[in-house]
């Protein structure tokens, strides 16, 4: 298990600190962060930064978007404009959420549950007779992308294109096998970003001339006060959907199944009583926190948790630490599938809380319910060390043995 860094946290970068806490069992590292302080000076990706480790102070940041801005991250993924709505602050943020929120309510998404269920079974059919699978490559990576293709009314043979664009934006260094600081990595990311804009421009042209029963057509027809979204608005929304809607569900599935593979007693509870699945999903989102952090920029000099923060400082919010803070959660170090009060921050908080959280929940609930109805027993291949990626805790490879452990 990762140990707390011996040197001063102020002499280390956020990523150095958090890379030691995004592995298989990061919870102890999160506790060590909280023990270090509620707000910890550090080096950020672009200058001075602080790490916020405790739930109270993270809630404070989420409550004050006028002090802690989301609008200054523009361009980090190669995007030429702010991504909508995640990189837009009030008052424009409210306008876009009023248009988009109705498309992502639980009731609006309910119509997709059966297609997701069928997709899960189709994918399981492809490997259920195999004694061993790679869960990541055969299930957790393709599933969210195939759901996305369905929502956008696109054929399944577009899957390789979507996966290539997703990885080229989110982890170009991994695709190229180079250091994140290598100039070729940034060039490849920018090239991928341009291809995303071109791809969705073509799709929007097609839907402009012929509407279908899909999300793109709904976006084209969406209005607020008699106005429709501009083409640039639509492209910025689609760019976000691609980058934020695929990797996070994959990471959640990897985290959930790594945990459940090691806890047969909790798998048995799901098998015996599928009605507990919604609560299990919330508890595993809390405990595993697949997206470990989000960040903001201070718009003015301020103070948080007794720590002075200068204007322009990047403020990293450790969601994983907040979700295991025993000041917020009784018995925070216990994983309880029946936990009733569960105000976790796995989807962020405040006005920028994840737009797609209800879709992610739908996918995760369907997967846990349907998978365990057909594959109640599975375990990690003996001798395997699961290596999670940085910041978003997904797996490149997850060797899984189907059936009871010998």
């Amino acid at each position: 298990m990762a140990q707390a860094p011996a040197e001063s946290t102020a002499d280390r970068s956020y990523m150095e600190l958090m890379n030691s806490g995004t592995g298989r069992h990061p919870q102890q590292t999160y506790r060590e962060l909280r023990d270090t302080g509620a707000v910890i000076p550090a080096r950020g990706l672009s200058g001075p930064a602080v790490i916020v480790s405790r739930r109270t102070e993270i809630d404070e940041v989420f409550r004050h978007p006028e002090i802690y801005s989301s609008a200054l991250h523009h361009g980090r993924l190669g995007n030429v404009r702010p991504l909508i709505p995640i990189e837009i602050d009030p008052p424009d943020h409210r306008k876009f959420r009023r248009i988009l929120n109705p498309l992502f309510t639980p009731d609006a998404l309910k119509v997709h549950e059966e297609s997701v269920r069928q997709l899960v079974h189709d994918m399981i059919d492809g490997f259920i007779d195999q004694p061993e699978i790679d869960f990541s490559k055969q299930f957790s990576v393709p599933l969210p992308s195939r759901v996305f293709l369905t929502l956008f009314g696109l054929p399944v043979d577009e899957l390789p294109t979507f996966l290539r664009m997703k990885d080229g934006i989110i982890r170009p260094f991994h695709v190229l096998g180079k250091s994140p600081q290598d100039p070729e990595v940034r060039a490849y990311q920018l090239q991928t970003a341009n291809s995303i804009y071109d791809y969705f421009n073509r799709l929007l042209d097609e839907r402009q001339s012929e509407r279908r029963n899909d999300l793109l057509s709904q976006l084209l027809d969406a209005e607020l006060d008699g106005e429709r979204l501009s083409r640039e608005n639509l492209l910025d929304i689609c760019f976000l959907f691609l980058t934020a809607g695929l990797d996070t569900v994959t990471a959640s599935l990897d985290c959930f199944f790594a945990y459940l593979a090691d806890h047969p007693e909790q798998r048995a509870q799901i098998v015996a009583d599928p009605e507990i699945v919604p609560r299990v999903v919330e508890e595993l989102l809390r405990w595993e926190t697949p997206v470990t952090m989000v960040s903001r920029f201070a718009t003015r000099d301020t103070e948080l948790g007794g720590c002075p923060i200068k204007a322009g400082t990047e403020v990293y919010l450790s969601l994983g630490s907040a979700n295991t803070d025993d000041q917020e959660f009784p018995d925070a170090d216990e994983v309880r599938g029946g936990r009733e009060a569960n105000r976790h921050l796995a989807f962020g908080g405040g006005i920028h809380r994840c737009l797609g959280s209800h879709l992610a929940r739908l996918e995760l609930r369907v997967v846990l319910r349907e998978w365990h109805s057909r594959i109640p027993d599975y375990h990690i291949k003996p001798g395997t060390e699961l290596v999670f990626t940085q910041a978003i805790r997904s797996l490149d490879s997850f060797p899984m043995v189907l059936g009871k452990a010998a």
Side-chain angles (χ1 to χ4, degrees):
M1 188 171 292
Q3 299 297 314
E7 60 263 54
S8 166
T9 56
D11 294 331
R12 302 195 60 170
S13 72
Y14 174 82
M15 291 309 296
E16 287 175 305
L17 282 167
M18 293 310 296
N19 283 350
S20 66
T22 57
R24 182 75 186 283
H25 304 293
Q27 294 80 16
Q28 179 60 32
T29 298
Y30 294 146
R31 178 173 291 280
E32 290 161 358
L33 266 182
R34 293 192 300 275
D35 289 345
T36 300
V39 183
I40 309 164
R43 297 196 314 273
L45 295 175
S46 56
V50 294
I51 303 164
V52 188
S53 68
R54 297 180 189 166
R55 175 61 182 261
T56 298
E57 285 74 20
I58 289 177
D59 281 342
E60 179 74 8
V61 171
F62 283 143
R63 280 195 297 269
H64 292 285
E66 76 282 5
I67 301 175
Y68 304 100
S69 172
S70 295
L72 301 178
H73 294 87
H74 166 122
R76 281 192 172 176
L77 295 178
N79 48 305
V80 297
R81 295 175 300 276
L83 301 179
I84 296 173
I86 199 171
E87 293 180 347
I88 303 289
D89 283 337
D92 287 343
H93 179 269
R94 296 188 186 93
K95 175 184 73 175
F96 289 116
R97 290 297 289 240
R98 284 175 62 193
I99 294 174
L100 295 171
N101 282 351
L103 303 178
F104 290 92
T105 64
D107 285 344
L109 295 168
K110 185 71 175 175
V111 67
H112 299 292
E113 182 167 350
E114 178 56 28
S115 64
V116 174
R117 190 193 73 81
Q118 187 59 56
L119 176 57
V120 169
H121 281 283
D122 289 346
M123 295 182 70
I124 291 175
D125 286 343
F127 56 69
I128 193 168
D129 293 328
Q130 299 175 19
E132 181 183 324
I133 65 170
D134 189 316
F135 179 80
S136 293
K137 292 181 173 62
Q138 293 176 255
F139 192 80
S140 67
V141 169
L143 175 71
S145 293
R146 289 187 63 176
V147 171
F148 190 95
L149 291 171
T150 299
L151 292 176
F152 274 63
L154 298 171
V156 70
D157 58 14
E158 290 290 282
L159 180 61
T161 299
F162 268 68
L163 294 177
R164 184 171 60 252
M165 291 190 296
K166 171 184 74 73
D167 289 338
I169 282 294
I170 296 172
R171 48 178 64 89
F173 52 90
H174 184 76
V175 173
L176 297 178
K178 296 180 180 291
S179 163
Q181 287 74 42
D182 191 305
E184 288 185 37
V185 169
R186 182 58 173 172
Y188 182 74
Q189 188 181 48
L190 292 172
Q191 176 187 337
T192 304
N194 287 334
S195 74
I196 291 173
Y197 287 121
D198 290 343
Y199 183 88
F200 282 110
N201 241 330
R202 291 194 299 273
L203 285 181
L204 289 166
D205 284 343
E206 292 174 8
R207 295 299 186 276
Q208 193 76 55
S209 59
E210 181 185 355
R211 297 292 198 274
R212 299 183 187 176
N213 184 23
D214 59 30
L215 187 56
L216 275 180
S217 297
Q218 289 178 294
L219 289 171
L220 281 165
D221 290 334
E223 290 186 2
L224 180 65
D225 299 329
E227 290 188 15
R228 293 188 176 182
L229 294 164
S230 70
R231 175 56 66 95
E232 287 187 347
N233 291 160
L234 291 165
L235 289 172
D236 298 336
I237 291 167
C238 290
F239 196 115
L240 176 64
F241 286 173
L242 176 69
T243 56
L246 306 184
D247 233 37
T248 51
V249 176
T250 291
S252 299
L253 291 170
D254 287 343
C255 289
F256 283 21
F257 278 79
Y259 177 86
L260 290 168
D262 277 346
H263 294 84
E265 73 287 353
Q266 300 214 27
R267 295 202 311 268
Q269 291 174 14
I270 295 172
V271 174
D273 182 12
E275 294 299 315
I276 70 170
V277 162
R279 293 196 299 276
V280 171
V281 166
E282 300 307 314
E283 181 68 345
L284 290 179
L285 284 168
R286 179 193 75 83
W287 179 248
E288 293 291 339
T289 312
V291 180
T292 63
M293 68 91 178
V294 295
S295 68
R296 303 288 189 265
F297 280 91
T299 60
R300 59 178 186 254
D301 291 354
T302 187
E303 182 179 291
L304 183 67
C307 177
I309 298 175
K310 294 285 189 182
T313 297
E314 191 157 14
V315 181
Y316 294 106
L317 310 178
S318 177
L319 303 181
S321 182
N323 281 344
T324 51
D325 188 341
D326 50 19
Q327 295 300 307
E328 169 65 26
F329 298 98
D331 304 317
D333 289 334
E334 293 183 16
V335 179
R336 302 207 312 256
R339 190 183 295 270
E340 294 291 343
N342 200 338
R343 287 194 329 125
H344 65 75
L345 296 177
F347 294 113
I351 62 168
H352 286 97
R353 190 174 182 281
C354 176
L355 175 67
S357 62
H358 296 305
L359 177 59
R361 282 187 166 103
L362 183 151
E363 293 180 57
L364 295 170
R365 290 170 181 171
V366 170
V367 169
L368 286 195
R369 186 178 63 243
E370 303 304 323
W371 176 286
H372 290 95
S373 74
R374 300 186 64 185
I375 308 176
D377 295 304
Y378 52 91
H379 56 279
I380 299 164
K381 184 179 181 179
T384 298
E385 179 182 358
L386 297 181
V387 180
F388 286 87
T389 56
Q390 301 172 358
I392 300 178
R393 300 177 58 231
S394 61
L395 294 165
D396 290 330
S397 180
F398 184 168
M400 176 187 285
V401 178
L402 305 184
K404 291 183 180 292

